Short mmCIF file of all heavy atoms in Angstrom, two decimals:
data_model
loop_
_atom_site.label_atom_id
_atom_site.label_comp_id
_atom_site.label_asym_id
_atom_site.label_seq_id
_atom_site.Cartn_x
_atom_site.Cartn_y
_atom_site.Cartn_z
N VAL A 1 0.82 -1.23 0.00
CA VAL A 1 0.00 0.00 0.00
C VAL A 1 0.84 1.27 0.00
O VAL A 1 0.31 2.37 -0.13
CB VAL A 1 -0.98 0.03 1.19
CG1 VAL A 1 -1.98 -1.11 1.08
CG2 VAL A 1 -0.24 -0.03 2.52
N THR A 2 2.14 1.14 0.14
CA THR A 2 3.04 2.30 0.18
C THR A 2 3.50 2.64 -1.23
O THR A 2 3.89 1.76 -1.99
CB THR A 2 4.25 2.01 1.08
OG1 THR A 2 3.76 1.64 2.37
CG2 THR A 2 5.14 3.22 1.23
N ALA A 3 3.46 3.92 -1.56
CA ALA A 3 3.89 4.39 -2.88
C ALA A 3 5.36 4.02 -3.10
O ALA A 3 6.20 4.27 -2.23
CB ALA A 3 3.71 5.89 -3.00
N PRO A 4 5.68 3.43 -4.25
CA PRO A 4 7.06 2.98 -4.53
C PRO A 4 8.12 4.08 -4.44
O PRO A 4 9.25 3.80 -4.04
CB PRO A 4 6.98 2.42 -5.95
CG PRO A 4 5.54 2.05 -6.13
CD PRO A 4 4.76 3.05 -5.33
N PHE A 5 7.79 5.32 -4.78
CA PHE A 5 8.80 6.38 -4.75
C PHE A 5 9.35 6.62 -3.36
O PHE A 5 10.45 7.15 -3.20
CB PHE A 5 8.25 7.70 -5.34
CG PHE A 5 7.48 8.53 -4.35
CD1 PHE A 5 8.12 9.49 -3.60
CD2 PHE A 5 6.12 8.34 -4.16
CE1 PHE A 5 7.43 10.28 -2.68
CE2 PHE A 5 5.41 9.10 -3.24
CZ PHE A 5 6.07 10.07 -2.50
N LEU A 6 8.60 6.23 -2.33
CA LEU A 6 9.03 6.49 -0.97
C LEU A 6 10.34 5.78 -0.62
O LEU A 6 11.12 6.28 0.19
CB LEU A 6 7.93 6.14 0.02
CG LEU A 6 6.75 7.11 -0.02
CD1 LEU A 6 5.53 6.53 0.65
CD2 LEU A 6 7.13 8.45 0.59
N LYS A 7 10.57 4.62 -1.22
CA LYS A 7 11.84 3.92 -0.99
C LYS A 7 13.01 4.79 -1.45
O LYS A 7 14.07 4.80 -0.83
CB LYS A 7 11.87 2.58 -1.71
CG LYS A 7 11.09 1.50 -1.02
CD LYS A 7 11.26 0.17 -1.74
CE LYS A 7 10.50 -0.91 -1.03
NZ LYS A 7 10.67 -2.22 -1.69
N ALA A 8 12.82 5.50 -2.54
CA ALA A 8 13.89 6.35 -3.09
C ALA A 8 14.18 7.55 -2.21
O ALA A 8 15.31 8.05 -2.20
CB ALA A 8 13.54 6.79 -4.51
N VAL A 9 13.19 8.04 -1.46
CA VAL A 9 13.43 9.22 -0.62
C VAL A 9 13.83 8.84 0.81
O VAL A 9 14.13 9.72 1.61
CB VAL A 9 12.22 10.20 -0.60
CG1 VAL A 9 11.93 10.74 -1.98
CG2 VAL A 9 11.00 9.59 0.03
N ARG A 10 13.87 7.55 1.11
CA ARG A 10 14.25 7.12 2.46
C ARG A 10 15.55 7.75 2.94
O ARG A 10 15.60 8.26 4.08
CB ARG A 10 14.34 5.59 2.52
CG ARG A 10 14.73 5.10 3.90
CD ARG A 10 14.80 3.60 4.01
NE ARG A 10 15.19 3.20 5.36
CZ ARG A 10 15.15 1.96 5.81
NH1 ARG A 10 14.72 0.98 5.01
NH2 ARG A 10 15.53 1.70 7.04
N PRO A 11 16.63 7.77 2.12
CA PRO A 11 17.87 8.40 2.61
C PRO A 11 17.67 9.87 2.99
O PRO A 11 18.25 10.33 3.98
CB PRO A 11 18.84 8.26 1.43
CG PRO A 11 18.33 7.10 0.65
CD PRO A 11 16.83 7.15 0.79
N LYS A 12 16.87 10.59 2.24
CA LYS A 12 16.59 11.99 2.58
C LYS A 12 15.93 12.07 3.96
O LYS A 12 16.29 12.89 4.78
CB LYS A 12 15.66 12.65 1.55
CG LYS A 12 16.30 13.05 0.26
CD LYS A 12 15.26 13.74 -0.63
CE LYS A 12 15.87 14.41 -1.80
NZ LYS A 12 16.74 15.52 -1.51
N LEU A 13 14.95 11.21 4.18
CA LEU A 13 14.20 11.23 5.43
C LEU A 13 15.08 10.83 6.61
O LEU A 13 15.02 11.44 7.67
CB LEU A 13 12.99 10.30 5.33
CG LEU A 13 12.04 10.53 4.15
CD1 LEU A 13 10.89 9.53 4.20
CD2 LEU A 13 11.54 11.95 4.10
N GLU A 14 15.88 9.79 6.43
CA GLU A 14 16.74 9.31 7.52
C GLU A 14 17.84 10.30 7.86
O GLU A 14 18.18 10.46 9.03
CB GLU A 14 17.36 7.96 7.14
CG GLU A 14 16.39 6.82 7.20
CD GLU A 14 17.06 5.49 6.89
OE1 GLU A 14 17.78 5.39 5.88
OE2 GLU A 14 16.84 4.54 7.67
N ASN A 15 18.40 10.95 6.85
CA ASN A 15 19.54 11.85 7.07
C ASN A 15 19.14 13.30 7.24
O ASN A 15 20.00 14.13 7.53
CB ASN A 15 20.52 11.73 5.90
CG ASN A 15 21.06 10.32 5.76
OD1 ASN A 15 21.30 9.64 6.75
ND2 ASN A 15 21.23 9.87 4.53
N GLY A 16 17.87 13.60 7.07
CA GLY A 16 17.44 15.00 7.17
C GLY A 16 18.04 15.87 6.08
O GLY A 16 18.19 17.07 6.25
N ASP A 17 18.40 15.26 4.96
CA ASP A 17 18.98 15.97 3.83
C ASP A 17 17.88 16.29 2.83
O ASP A 17 17.49 15.44 2.03
CB ASP A 17 20.07 15.12 3.16
CG ASP A 17 20.59 15.75 1.87
OD1 ASP A 17 20.39 16.96 1.66
OD2 ASP A 17 21.20 15.02 1.07
N TYR A 18 17.36 17.50 2.90
CA TYR A 18 16.24 17.88 2.06
C TYR A 18 16.65 18.84 0.95
O TYR A 18 15.91 19.76 0.60
CB TYR A 18 15.11 18.46 2.93
CG TYR A 18 14.61 17.44 3.93
CD1 TYR A 18 14.88 17.57 5.29
CD2 TYR A 18 13.90 16.33 3.49
CE1 TYR A 18 14.42 16.61 6.19
CE2 TYR A 18 13.45 15.37 4.39
CZ TYR A 18 13.71 15.53 5.73
OH TYR A 18 13.27 14.58 6.62
N ALA A 19 17.84 18.58 0.39
CA ALA A 19 18.25 19.33 -0.80
C ALA A 19 17.15 19.12 -1.85
O ALA A 19 16.72 17.99 -2.08
CB ALA A 19 19.60 18.83 -1.31
N PRO A 20 16.72 20.19 -2.47
CA PRO A 20 15.52 20.07 -3.32
C PRO A 20 15.75 19.36 -4.65
O PRO A 20 16.63 19.72 -5.42
CB PRO A 20 15.10 21.52 -3.55
CG PRO A 20 16.36 22.31 -3.39
CD PRO A 20 17.20 21.57 -2.38
N ASN A 21 14.95 18.33 -4.88
CA ASN A 21 14.74 17.78 -6.21
C ASN A 21 13.47 18.42 -6.76
O ASN A 21 13.38 18.73 -7.93
CB ASN A 21 14.60 16.26 -6.18
CG ASN A 21 15.89 15.58 -5.83
OD1 ASN A 21 16.97 16.06 -6.17
ND2 ASN A 21 15.80 14.47 -5.12
N PHE A 22 12.49 18.58 -5.89
CA PHE A 22 11.23 19.25 -6.22
C PHE A 22 10.85 20.04 -4.97
O PHE A 22 10.39 19.47 -3.98
CB PHE A 22 10.16 18.23 -6.59
CG PHE A 22 8.90 18.85 -7.12
CD1 PHE A 22 8.89 19.51 -8.34
CD2 PHE A 22 7.72 18.79 -6.39
CE1 PHE A 22 7.73 20.09 -8.83
CE2 PHE A 22 6.56 19.37 -6.86
CZ PHE A 22 6.56 20.02 -8.09
N PRO A 23 11.07 21.37 -4.99
CA PRO A 23 10.85 22.17 -3.79
C PRO A 23 9.41 22.10 -3.27
O PRO A 23 8.45 22.07 -4.05
CB PRO A 23 11.19 23.59 -4.24
CG PRO A 23 12.14 23.40 -5.38
CD PRO A 23 11.65 22.15 -6.08
N LEU A 24 9.29 22.09 -1.96
CA LEU A 24 7.99 22.04 -1.31
C LEU A 24 7.09 23.18 -1.77
O LEU A 24 5.90 22.98 -1.97
CB LEU A 24 8.18 22.08 0.22
CG LEU A 24 6.92 21.94 1.04
CD1 LEU A 24 7.16 21.02 2.23
CD2 LEU A 24 6.41 23.28 1.51
N GLN A 25 7.65 24.36 -1.98
CA GLN A 25 6.83 25.50 -2.39
C GLN A 25 6.18 25.25 -3.76
O GLN A 25 5.06 25.70 -4.01
CB GLN A 25 7.63 26.79 -2.41
CG GLN A 25 8.78 26.82 -3.39
CD GLN A 25 9.72 27.98 -3.14
OE1 GLN A 25 9.52 28.79 -2.24
NE2 GLN A 25 10.77 28.07 -3.94
N TRP A 26 6.85 24.53 -4.65
CA TRP A 26 6.26 24.21 -5.95
C TRP A 26 5.17 23.16 -5.79
O TRP A 26 4.16 23.19 -6.49
CB TRP A 26 7.32 23.75 -6.93
CG TRP A 26 8.33 24.79 -7.30
CD1 TRP A 26 8.33 26.12 -6.94
CD2 TRP A 26 9.49 24.60 -8.08
NE1 TRP A 26 9.43 26.75 -7.45
CE2 TRP A 26 10.17 25.84 -8.16
CE3 TRP A 26 10.05 23.49 -8.70
CZ2 TRP A 26 11.35 26.01 -8.86
CZ3 TRP A 26 11.22 23.66 -9.40
CH2 TRP A 26 11.87 24.91 -9.48
N MET A 27 5.38 22.22 -4.87
CA MET A 27 4.35 21.22 -4.62
C MET A 27 3.12 21.89 -4.04
O MET A 27 1.99 21.60 -4.45
CB MET A 27 4.88 20.15 -3.66
CG MET A 27 3.88 19.04 -3.39
SD MET A 27 3.43 18.10 -4.87
CE MET A 27 4.82 16.99 -4.98
N GLN A 28 3.32 22.81 -3.12
CA GLN A 28 2.18 23.53 -2.53
C GLN A 28 1.45 24.31 -3.61
O GLN A 28 0.22 24.35 -3.65
CB GLN A 28 2.65 24.43 -1.39
CG GLN A 28 1.53 24.98 -0.53
CD GLN A 28 0.96 26.28 -1.01
OE1 GLN A 28 1.64 27.09 -1.63
NE2 GLN A 28 -0.30 26.51 -0.72
N LYS A 29 2.19 24.91 -4.55
CA LYS A 29 1.58 25.64 -5.66
C LYS A 29 0.74 24.70 -6.52
O LYS A 29 -0.39 25.02 -6.89
CB LYS A 29 2.66 26.31 -6.51
CG LYS A 29 2.11 27.05 -7.73
CD LYS A 29 2.79 26.82 -9.07
CE LYS A 29 3.80 25.78 -9.25
NZ LYS A 29 3.60 24.93 -10.44
N ASP A 30 1.26 23.52 -6.80
CA ASP A 30 0.51 22.56 -7.61
C ASP A 30 -0.75 22.07 -6.87
O ASP A 30 -1.79 21.85 -7.50
CB ASP A 30 1.38 21.37 -7.99
CG ASP A 30 2.36 21.71 -9.12
OD1 ASP A 30 2.27 22.82 -9.68
OD2 ASP A 30 3.20 20.86 -9.45
N LEU A 31 -0.65 21.90 -5.58
CA LEU A 31 -1.83 21.53 -4.80
C LEU A 31 -2.87 22.64 -4.84
O LEU A 31 -4.08 22.38 -4.95
CB LEU A 31 -1.46 21.20 -3.35
CG LEU A 31 -0.62 19.94 -3.15
CD1 LEU A 31 -0.16 19.83 -1.71
CD2 LEU A 31 -1.37 18.71 -3.59
N HIS A 32 -2.41 23.87 -4.78
CA HIS A 32 -3.32 25.02 -4.88
C HIS A 32 -4.00 25.05 -6.25
O HIS A 32 -5.22 25.26 -6.34
CB HIS A 32 -2.54 26.32 -4.62
CG HIS A 32 -3.39 27.54 -4.72
ND1 HIS A 32 -4.37 27.84 -3.79
CD2 HIS A 32 -3.43 28.52 -5.64
CE1 HIS A 32 -4.97 28.97 -4.14
NE2 HIS A 32 -4.42 29.41 -5.26
N LEU A 33 -3.24 24.81 -7.31
CA LEU A 33 -3.82 24.79 -8.66
C LEU A 33 -4.84 23.66 -8.79
O LEU A 33 -5.88 23.83 -9.42
CB LEU A 33 -2.72 24.65 -9.71
CG LEU A 33 -1.79 25.86 -9.87
CD1 LEU A 33 -0.66 25.53 -10.84
CD2 LEU A 33 -2.56 27.09 -10.31
N ALA A 34 -4.53 22.51 -8.22
CA ALA A 34 -5.48 21.38 -8.25
C ALA A 34 -6.75 21.75 -7.50
O ALA A 34 -7.87 21.45 -7.96
CB ALA A 34 -4.84 20.14 -7.65
N SER A 35 -6.60 22.44 -6.38
CA SER A 35 -7.76 22.87 -5.60
C SER A 35 -8.62 23.86 -6.38
O SER A 35 -9.85 23.76 -6.39
CB SER A 35 -7.28 23.49 -4.28
OG SER A 35 -8.37 23.95 -3.53
N LEU A 36 -7.97 24.79 -7.06
CA LEU A 36 -8.71 25.75 -7.89
C LEU A 36 -9.44 25.05 -9.04
O LEU A 36 -10.60 25.37 -9.33
CB LEU A 36 -7.77 26.82 -8.44
CG LEU A 36 -7.19 27.82 -7.45
CD1 LEU A 36 -6.16 28.72 -8.14
CD2 LEU A 36 -8.30 28.65 -6.82
N THR A 37 -8.76 24.12 -9.67
CA THR A 37 -9.37 23.37 -10.77
C THR A 37 -10.57 22.59 -10.28
O THR A 37 -11.63 22.58 -10.92
CB THR A 37 -8.33 22.43 -11.42
OG1 THR A 37 -7.23 23.21 -11.89
CG2 THR A 37 -8.93 21.64 -12.56
N ALA A 38 -10.44 21.93 -9.14
CA ALA A 38 -11.55 21.18 -8.55
C ALA A 38 -12.72 22.12 -8.25
O ALA A 38 -13.88 21.78 -8.52
CB ALA A 38 -11.09 20.45 -7.29
N TYR A 39 -12.42 23.28 -7.71
CA TYR A 39 -13.46 24.26 -7.40
C TYR A 39 -14.19 24.69 -8.68
O TYR A 39 -15.42 24.72 -8.73
CB TYR A 39 -12.85 25.47 -6.69
CG TYR A 39 -13.84 26.57 -6.43
CD1 TYR A 39 -14.72 26.48 -5.35
CD2 TYR A 39 -13.91 27.69 -7.25
CE1 TYR A 39 -15.64 27.49 -5.10
CE2 TYR A 39 -14.82 28.70 -7.02
CZ TYR A 39 -15.70 28.60 -5.95
OH TYR A 39 -16.62 29.58 -5.71
#
């Protein structure tokens, strides 16, 4: 039931190394756009 990509980010999570591959602010923007589209 766990998304396969999570295995790839395990080292980031364990080491607290959050160098951006996809910045959180862009993800939040995409979630906002999805919310607007749904509305």
Side-chain angles (χ1 to χ4, degrees):
V1 297
T2 304
F5 84 91
L6 289 164
K7 282 185 179 181
V9 299
R10 180 179 179 169
K12 282 183 168 295
L13 306 181
E14 286 183 310
N15 300 323
D17 173 18
Y18 299 110
N21 290 327
F22 188 68
L24 184 138
Q25 63 194 359
W26 295 354
M27 182 62 81
Q28 192 271 331
K29 177 227 9 132
D30 284 354
L31 293 173
H32 179 70
L33 292 174
S35 178
L36 290 174
T37 301
Y39 176 80

